[in-house]
Amino acid sequence: VELTEETQKAVVNDFLRQQNATSPEALIQIVRSSGLSEEAFFDQLFRPARMAQIAQEQFGAKAEAHFLAQKERLDRVVYSLLRLNSQSKAQELYLRIAHGEANFSDLAGRFSEGMERDTNGMIGPVPLNQAHPTLSEKLRAAKPGMLLEPFRIDRWWVVARLERFAPASFDARMGAQMSMELLQEWLKEDTRRRVQGLSSNTDNGSKA
């Protein structure tokens, strides 16, 4: 895959900024200290851009459909969470928060029995589907700032509040991400087929 001169310059400039280097001389020194030949160094440097170009050329037309199929995984939320073993305690803390008698983060830091206690109950931003399906469904239906009454998840009684919902949208950046995902899936499937073919040939050779 041949990159345009403009793309190559952009990749090099981004790399130099990451290295806090600003001059061509600095780039030469980085290449020398890498232990690679100049050709091998730039091959590695340009590889992600080449992969992105292949992904766009081969799968760009399918990117939006893939995005729509994966949207639930891509939507992100920030929410507050408080987990307790006791239904009555969960109801008590819920009412204190609802009536403005206490702060959610303070109560979560003091009383929550889950790992969210270490972050004062704050979770995210995280993919919406990363949460338990029951919690995910309730958060999707809620509006920012909405406090959810205690509900049961497994052995826990849960109090939750949606802080922020960030639905994924399809733009150029997302299109590039979806195209790359499709390329990676194709590469995995192609590798699987090749390995399977080699195994079949080996088996046939052994029988012969």
Side-chain angles (χ1 to χ4, degrees):
V1 177
E2 293 298 327
L3 300 177
T4 65
E5 184 176 346
E6 181 181 358
T7 299
Q8 291 183 36
K9 285 182 178 179
V11 171
V12 170
N13 288 335
D14 286 343
F15 173 75
L16 289 175
R17 278 194 294 271
Q18 293 170 11
Q19 300 298 316
N20 293 319
T22 56
S23 66
E25 293 76 15
L27 178 61
I28 294 172
Q29 185 58 43
I30 292 172
V31 174
R32 287 175 178 171
S33 62
S34 70
L36 299 172
S37 67
E38 184 174 333
E39 181 181 0
F41 178 87
F42 283 103
D43 180 63
Q44 287 193 9
L45 183 62
F46 293 142
R47 187 172 299 165
R50 290 194 179 106
M51 292 289 286
Q53 185 168 312
I54 292 172
Q56 178 60 37
E57 291 173 355
Q58 298 298 320
F59 299 102
K62 300 178 181 179
E64 187 167 8
H66 183 62
F67 164 76
L68 293 173
Q70 300 293 318
K71 190 174 185 304
E72 185 173 341
R73 170 175 65 85
L74 300 166
D75 289 340
R76 304 178 75 82
V77 291
V78 177
Y79 60 96
S80 295
L81 182 70
L82 199 162
R83 285 183 287 181
L84 296 157
N85 279 314
S86 167
Q87 180 182 8
S88 60
K89 188 66 175 178
Q91 186 67 27
E92 175 196 337
L93 297 184
Y94 163 78
L95 290 174
R96 289 177 64 184
I97 297 168
H99 294 159
E101 298 173 1
N103 183 279
F104 198 125
S105 61
D106 291 340
L107 294 183
R110 291 174 57 194
F111 298 108
S112 189
E113 298 171 29
M115 289 172 42
E116 66 280 349
R117 180 174 184 169
D118 296 334
T119 58
N120 292 328
M122 190 65 68
I123 307 291
V126 293
L128 181 57
N129 71 342
Q130 184 173 303
H132 186 281
T134 301
L135 176 58
S136 178
E137 181 181 348
K138 289 181 176 294
L139 290 174
R140 186 176 289 279
K143 294 182 179 180
M146 182 175 177
L147 181 65
L148 303 177
E149 292 190 30
F151 57 96
R152 189 77 178 264
I153 294 182
D154 300 328
R155 67 185 181 90
W156 300 107
W157 283 95
V158 174
V159 180
R161 182 175 65 198
L162 178 64
E163 305 296 347
R164 187 168 73 253
F165 179 59
S169 59
F170 188 79
D171 53 17
R173 181 195 62 79
M174 184 61 72
Q177 180 182 330
M178 294 297 98
S179 297
M180 184 61 70
E181 283 190 8
L182 288 169
L183 174 60
Q184 295 293 347
E185 289 177 7
W186 181 88
L187 288 171
K188 288 180 182 178
E189 179 60 22
D190 185 60
T191 301
R192 185 193 66 78
R193 286 196 303 265
R194 290 174 183 271
V195 171
Q196 193 174 49
L198 288 172
S199 298
S200 297
N201 291 338
T202 301
D203 291 342
N204 291 335
S206 298
K207 292 176 182 178

